[in-house]
Amino acid sequence: MKVFRWRALVPLGIFTLAVVLGWTLFVDRLIRLGIEAGGTAAVGARVDLQSARLRLFQASLVLRGLAVTNPRAPMTNLFEVDELNMDIHLRALLEKKFVAETMAVRGLRFGTPRRTSGALPEKSKVAAPAASDRSAAEDGAHHVHLPSLDLQGLGKVVNVAGVSPESLHTIAQARQVAAKGDSLEGIWTRQLAAADPRPAIDSGKALVARLGNTDLRRLGLAGARDAANSVRATLNAVKVSRDRLTTLQRSVAAQTDSLRLRAAALDRARTEDYAYARRQVQVPSLDPKDISAALFGPAVLERLVPALSWTHTAQRTVPTGLAPQRRAGPQRARMAGTTVAFPKTHRYPSLLIEFAEGTFALAGRTTMAGDYIARLTGLTTEPAVYGKPLTFLAQRSGAVAGPEHIRVAGALDHTGEVPRDSVTADLNGVRLPAFDLAAAGARMDLRTGTVGIALLRFGDSVRGRWLVRSDSVGWTQLRDSAAPGSAGAPAIGSRAWVNALVWRAVSSLRNVQVEAVISGRLASPSVDVSSNVGGAVAGALRQAVAGEVARVEAQVKARVDSLVDQQVGAARAKLAALNTGPLKVVTDDQAQLDGVEAQLQQKLRSLTGGLPGIHF
Amino acid sequence: MLFLKLIQQLVKALNSEGTPGQVAAGVALGAVFGLTPLLNLHNVVLFGCALILNVSMPGVFLGWAVAVPVGFALDPLFDAVGSRLLLAPGLQGMWTTLYNAPVVPFTNFNNTVVLGSFVVWVVAFLPIFFLARWGVTRYRATLLERLRRMRFFQAVTASGWYTTYKSLAGWRS
């Protein structure tokens, strides 16, 4: 029987031709559908592409009419591009990878309106990764504690009994310190008993005393040798005992230091408890930073969420390291499974755009509207394979209204195991938006000013600064917070009273500076806000209610002190006991062993050096 | 309609002039198109092999048709097998080399379902072959003559599909 069916070569040839013909006819369409499907899955909203044109012999790919929907505003495009022209690596295509040496971007526009909605059906939205990034960022922002400008506790009888011991961190921490001290004391007592140096000390002392009055010449050679050997054996026992004690002493000292640090942290915890208790009785801090945070905190958080969201997106889409990367398999009638990528250094990454340059425009008449030039290098899904960070720069070349100078630059370095991202933005002489300061019942129109943004991310840590400065600020009182007219003076501490006081303090301010510093972990960052507006409000509040606030604060402090003093005292007493107990015993024993060792050394020298030319 | 076509494939394969070995080889080879996700490079290569090797083409289509529902049903198993293999520390070097080699990535071997189903097909190839050969032999020895006398059988063999197939059967061997 024949193994091969040679006559089948004809249909095989036809089949191959059909595949090649199909590829030639449909490859552009397949690329277009692939980009639309992949983009839609990544963004979580519709991605449309008018056409794709692959020219294999020229090694180029041209995409036209790319529109990416803003997932949060489906009738608006996140961005739209007229044309993307790329020079591609054919060898990389053979490895099912896409590498573009250069990419020219023409007609990039942000925030353009869509004719049809780009929203996905409900079930697709759930799985959209961009939505999960946003959700993670919002979770992080929820961890930021913002003080309030609530003065309702003033002028009333303060119910300090409402501050319960269970809610104070100091008590819990003090109990932990005391419990840890008890536990350490027990452990050290057992270890000290096991490493008891008394036998070695006693035997050393006894030997020194025995040899004290012995005449070396009367011992003779053999007697001197025996005596020297006894001294050496005892010396060894002393050294072993001392080494054991030294190890124990180091451990005791290190753990005592650690406990001392925890005890020192009790003062910080007590300060936080004062602030907590003050909030409980509705008396805010008069610290300018706290008041700044109360005034501008919500506006800062509103801007922090997108920044954190992009950080999560960068982490998800540009992973670090060379470990195999898992992602969901392609959507099909069959089970999708998991697709695993196996990156390798000195090879092509799955996706790489080495250099891109182009111009773009931001629509509208907002602060950022205008024409820009942009440059980008090293955009890849596997930076560890490519070995260089992604860098980008966008600079304004012409404005719709106003200035002047806008520059955004940054780098995403995911080449190592720990991601390092940085973004800086400088906007000078731009039209700034107005802020509603709900806590003050006023609107602050910054008009023209300066904005500086810097955001650094290192691993799980984030550090950032947002600075806004303007010297032509306008103030408007919000309608529902205007001071009552004929109704008489508002009650001290009431919302109307606060609004009126804040309005008097800030309405004459023309120069305003707001600075927000973000720090801490990505999952739970902290925000410090400072502003001359906060300073002015704090000053006005101090003038108006300093005495009242001081009275309430004193009551609050007294209540907190009465609740925490006993536990803090017990924790500190335990620490002191550890210092005077096990640590002192170990130190004393060591001193005794050192003394005995010195005596034995001297005795050994006299035994071995007493007879010339004799060494045992 | 689909069921009728399946019956036609079955009848054609079992009654073709190919030997039981040729039909069984076709069934075993065709099973890959049903067991593994279809649109992958290895299936194009194996289809070319099915054309050029002297196996029964009706057998190939029969194997394909029977394996499709089996493939769907066993997807969770394929996923588990593929995951085990792709994430096995001892095989990382091989997968990395293949992933970065030309052409190979178009097989989508790095997808758990594709790899798992392909490996299961490779392992099951010989059992499928021997089982199919035994089945065809037994069928031809015992059932064929009785079936030929059934009206349903006559209707199927008299259909346009079957007639066309018989007229093209010349290049079968």
Side-chain angles (χ1 to χ4, degrees):
Chain A
M1 192 181 72
K2 289 183 287 183
V3 174
F4 294 104
R5 188 160 41 200
W6 296 115
R7 272 180 291 179
L9 280 177
V10 177
L12 187 62
I14 293 170
F15 173 69
T16 310
L17 268 176
V19 170
V20 171
L21 191 68
W23 192 82
T24 312
L25 287 175
F26 296 110
V27 67
D28 291 340
R29 188 183 172 81
L30 288 174
I31 291 172
R32 182 172 70 78
L33 293 175
I35 289 173
E36 285 185 340
T40 299
V43 175
R46 272 188 68 127
V47 170
D48 299 305
L49 182 62
Q50 222 167 54
S51 71
R53 180 89 177 94
L54 175 67
R55 291 190 185 90
L56 270 187
F57 294 110
Q58 285 91 2
S60 78
L61 175 68
V62 181
L63 307 179
R64 289 201 177 87
L66 176 70
V68 178
T69 308
N70 183 346
R72 296 180 62 215
M75 290 306 293
T76 310
N77 285 317
L78 208 56
F79 64 87
E80 200 175 347
V81 187
D82 287 342
E83 188 176 287
L84 288 164
N85 207 323
M86 290 171 261
D87 293 327
I88 57 175
H89 270 278
L90 291 183
R91 194 179 148 71
L93 283 184
L94 272 180
E95 293 180 18
K96 210 182 164 189
K97 293 166 180 172
F98 182 84
V99 176
E101 270 181 54
T102 58
M103 180 169 82
V105 184
R106 196 173 60 75
L108 172 64
R109 299 180 302 284
F110 291 87
T112 52
R114 287 179 65 89
R115 270 180 295 189
T116 55
S117 169
L120 297 180
E122 279 305 313
K123 61 177 181 183
S124 317
K125 275 184 191 167
V126 176
S132 67
D133 295 338
R134 175 93 193 173
S135 165
E138 282 170 348
D139 283 350
H142 282 147
H143 281 93
V144 176
H145 167 70
L146 293 178
S148 69
L149 197 56
D150 189 350
L151 292 157
Q152 287 176 37
L154 294 181
K156 295 178 185 169
V157 176
V158 177
N159 179 21
V160 288
V163 179
S164 68
E166 291 77 26
S167 53
L168 299 180
H169 290 153
T170 315
I171 294 176
Q173 287 183 22
R175 282 182 182 143
Q176 282 172 9
V177 170
K180 182 75 180 169
D182 280 338
S183 154
L184 287 176
E185 191 175 30
I187 293 168
W188 293 340
T189 306
R190 283 193 297 278
Q191 287 178 341
L192 263 174
D196 186 11
R198 189 56 46 195
I201 293 169
D202 291 345
S203 105
K205 280 181 176 170
L207 185 61
V208 169
R210 188 155 55 82
L211 294 173
N213 300 320
T214 309
D215 184 359
L216 186 60
R217 293 177 195 282
R218 290 177 61 191
L219 279 177
L221 199 56
R225 186 190 294 124
D226 290 344
N229 285 340
S230 295
V231 172
R232 281 199 190 98
T234 310
L235 204 52
N236 280 341
V238 167
K239 279 179 180 168
V240 167
S241 190
R242 200 206 34 210
D243 289 348
R244 206 181 297 146
L245 222 53
T246 303
T247 309
L248 182 59
Q249 191 265 343
R250 281 185 191 140
S251 161
V252 169
Q255 292 184 75
T256 308
D257 282 347
S258 160
L259 206 60
R260 199 171 289 128
L261 286 175
R262 289 174 69 171
L266 291 175
D267 290 336
R268 281 198 302 277
R270 190 189 292 238
T271 309
E272 285 169 15
D273 283 341
Y274 287 151
Y276 164 78
R278 212 165 41 219
R279 286 197 298 276
Q280 290 301 103
V281 297
Q282 292 175 314
V283 174
S285 156
L286 295 188
D287 184 76
K289 283 198 166 186
D290 289 338
I291 289 176
S292 299
L295 290 171
F296 297 103
V300 170
L301 288 190
E302 204 178 298
R303 282 147 186 84
L304 178 65
V305 168
L308 293 180
S309 178
W310 280 109
T311 313
H312 287 291
T313 304
Q315 169 80 39
R316 178 173 52 79
T317 53
V318 190
T320 57
L322 286 168
Q325 298 158 8
R326 282 178 260 183
R327 61 174 192 277
Q331 289 298 314
R332 57 189 170 208
R334 296 280 295 267
M335 190 176 170
T338 306
T339 297
V340 189
F342 296 91
K344 186 180 180 184
T345 48
H346 310 304
R347 305 295 303 192
Y348 295 117
S350 298
L351 172 75
L352 170 65
I353 295 167
E354 288 186 283
F355 180 83
E357 192 171 46
T359 58
F360 66 91
L362 289 183
R365 300 195 62 78
T366 61
T367 308
M368 302 292 284
D371 296 324
Y372 290 78
I373 51 168
R375 198 168 296 131
L376 179 145
T377 62
L379 174 65
T380 176
T381 50
E382 285 150 13
V385 175
Y386 183 52
K388 295 177 198 168
L390 178 157
T391 63
F392 61 88
L393 168 73
Q395 208 160 343
R396 178 134 82 171
S397 55
V400 170
E404 283 8 303
H405 173 71
I406 292 182
R407 185 178 183 279
V408 180
L412 268 69
D413 186 354
H414 291 199
T415 53
E417 287 299 324
V418 180
R420 301 169 191 210
D421 304 335
S422 64
V423 180
T424 58
D426 295 305
L427 299 84
N428 290 327
V430 291
R431 180 80 179 81
L432 297 170
F435 292 96
D436 280 348
L437 305 180
R443 168 173 291 178
M444 178 179 76
D445 187 354
L446 290 166
R447 295 176 182 152
T448 304
T450 302
V451 178
I453 297 169
L455 187 68
L456 289 167
R457 176 261 179 91
F458 184 85
D460 283 344
S461 304
V462 65
R463 188 158 183 80
R465 180 172 175 262
W466 178 63
L467 176 72
V468 182
R469 196 182 291 140
S470 171
D471 54 6
S472 56
V473 176
W475 294 89
T476 323
Q477 224 169 352
L478 294 175
R479 188 183 295 174
D480 60 349
S481 61
S486 58
I492 188 167
S494 69
R495 164 60 57 195
W497 180 85
V498 172
N499 287 344
L501 185 137
V502 173
W503 176 253
R504 281 198 302 277
V506 301
S507 55
S508 58
L509 286 178
R510 290 293 164 263
N511 298 312
V512 164
Q513 177 173 314
V514 182
E515 184 183 23
V517 174
I518 298 118
S519 58
R521 292 167 59 81
L522 262 177
S524 54
S526 63
V527 176
D528 288 320
V529 185
S530 59
S531 168
N532 60 329
V533 177
V537 173
L541 278 172
R542 268 200 209 96
Q543 263 191 338
V545 294
E548 178 71 2
V549 168
R551 183 184 66 78
V552 176
E553 275 187 345
Q555 285 182 23
V556 165
K557 278 188 177 179
R559 167 69 176 166
V560 171
D561 288 343
S562 72
L563 290 172
V564 305
D565 273 349
Q566 190 188 346
Q567 275 77 14
V568 171
R572 296 222 158 104
K574 177 54 67 181
L575 186 64
L578 288 175
N579 278 325
T580 54
L583 192 60
K584 189 170 183 313
V585 170
V586 173
T587 312
D588 290 350
D589 285 348
Q590 266 189 318
Q592 285 198 49
L593 281 168
D594 287 345
V596 170
E597 189 184 356
Q599 287 176 337
L600 287 169
Q601 291 280 14
Q602 193 188 359
K603 197 51 72 183
L604 186 64
R605 272 197 302 278
S606 71
L607 282 170
T608 56
L611 294 172
I614 294 177
H615 300 285
F616 300 120
Chain B
M1 191 65 188
L2 191 71
F3 180 70
L4 187 65
K5 280 188 178 172
L6 182 65
I7 297 291
Q8 280 181 338
Q9 292 298 341
L10 183 66
V11 170
K12 275 188 277 184
L14 296 177
N15 303 323
S16 66
E17 286 160 18
T19 65
Q22 282 176 302
V23 176
V27 169
L29 194 57
V32 74
F33 307 121
L35 288 178
T36 67
L38 194 60
L39 292 176
N40 292 299
L41 183 64
H42 69 270
N43 280 338
V44 177
V45 173
L46 287 170
F47 191 72
C49 290
L51 283 174
I52 207 158
L53 291 172
N54 197 7
V55 297
S56 161
M57 283 309 286
V60 169
F61 289 113
L62 176 66
W64 184 346
V66 170
V68 165
V70 179
F72 271 85
L74 294 183
D75 268 350
L77 170 75
F78 299 153
D79 183 46
V81 172
S83 286
R84 276 281 178 91
L85 290 170
L86 284 174
L87 302 176
L91 298 174
Q92 295 302 296
M94 182 177 77
W95 301 135
T96 305
T97 305
L98 290 175
Y99 182 80
N100 293 286
V103 182
V104 182
F106 288 96
T107 61
N108 288 325
F109 78 92
N110 57 327
N111 180 270
T112 52
V113 174
V114 174
L115 182 69
S117 57
F118 186 78
V119 168
V120 168
W121 170 74
V122 168
V123 171
F125 183 88
L126 284 179
I128 293 172
F129 171 78
F130 287 117
L131 193 67
R133 195 174 65 171
W134 176 81
V136 173
T137 310
R138 291 284 299 161
Y139 163 80
R140 288 183 179 173
T142 56
L143 280 175
L144 183 60
E145 278 313 309
R146 266 186 281 173
L147 277 175
R148 273 186 177 151
R149 287 194 289 273
M150 289 172 66
R151 285 191 176 181
F152 175 73
F153 186 87
Q154 287 163 1
V156 169
T157 52
S159 69
W161 251 71
Y162 192 78
T163 315
T164 312
Y165 161 73
K166 288 297 275 184
S167 66
L168 293 172
W171 59 271
R172 245 179 26 255
S173 55

